[in-house]
Amino acid sequence: MNTGVQTVGVYVLDQDEALAFYVDQLGFRVVTDVRNGDYRWLTVQLPDQPSFQLGLFVPGPPTHDPATAQALQALVAKGAMPPLVLAVADCRAAYDAMRSRGVEFTQAPIERYGTVDAGFRDPSGNGWKMIQTRR
């Protein structure tokens, strides 16, 4: 009956700031941006991966009580959430292109495990690994 995972959420501290980063600096596009009072459902996707969406969600109501939201926001800001992985055809070229658009990397491209990878964080503190696909 299942047809696959469509959306995976990542907690962000500021949805407008996250939206600008994911769209302007990483090349995602907006899929859904709707509000219900203070709640905002915001999803983005890579143009070449239309069956998958990344939800950019702020911890808080209606999902979390204030204490839980505050704890999650602190974990996000510390970079303690699970890392995300971005697959790229050429890690060094993607690194150069993304740096020119203002992405700050925590790790320059390095060869290991038979491929090349680099690391960066989004404005909220979420860690990303960018890994070159194997040929």
Side-chain angles (χ1 to χ4, degrees):
M1 299 235 89
N2 295 330
T3 59
V5 176
Q6 178 183 348
T7 304
V8 171
V10 61
Y11 292 131
V12 298
L13 302 179
D14 180 301
Q15 286 178 304
D16 290 326
E17 181 180 50
L19 181 61
F21 176 79
Y22 283 92
V23 171
D24 298 338
Q25 294 179 284
L26 298 188
F28 284 71
R29 67 177 182 191
V30 176
V31 177
T32 308
D33 188 355
V34 295
R35 296 172 191 261
N36 185 7
D38 291 335
Y39 183 75
R40 183 179 183 187
W41 180 267
L42 176 61
T43 65
V44 295
Q45 71 183 189
L46 289 167
D48 293 337
Q49 194 177 13
S51 64
F52 179 80
Q53 296 176 37
L54 185 64
L56 305 175
F57 305 126
V58 174
T63 309
H64 308 104
D65 61 77
T68 302
Q70 184 177 16
L72 285 169
Q73 289 169 355
L75 288 170
V76 170
K78 289 180 181 180
M81 301 307 282
L84 301 150
V85 177
L86 180 65
V88 295
D90 183 330
C91 188
R92 287 183 179 86
Y95 172 84
D96 290 340
M98 290 166 62
R99 280 192 62 197
S100 74
R101 292 191 301 270
V103 175
E104 294 180 24
F105 280 79
T106 56
Q107 175 207 313
I110 185 171
E111 289 188 42
R112 60 177 157 196
Y113 310 117
T115 188
V116 180
D117 69 78
F120 63 93
R121 293 194 181 281
D122 74 9
S124 296
N126 291 298
W128 278 87
K129 263 310 196 191
M130 181 170 64
I131 301 175
Q132 183 170 306
T133 54
R134 296 177 195 266
R135 293 192 171 112

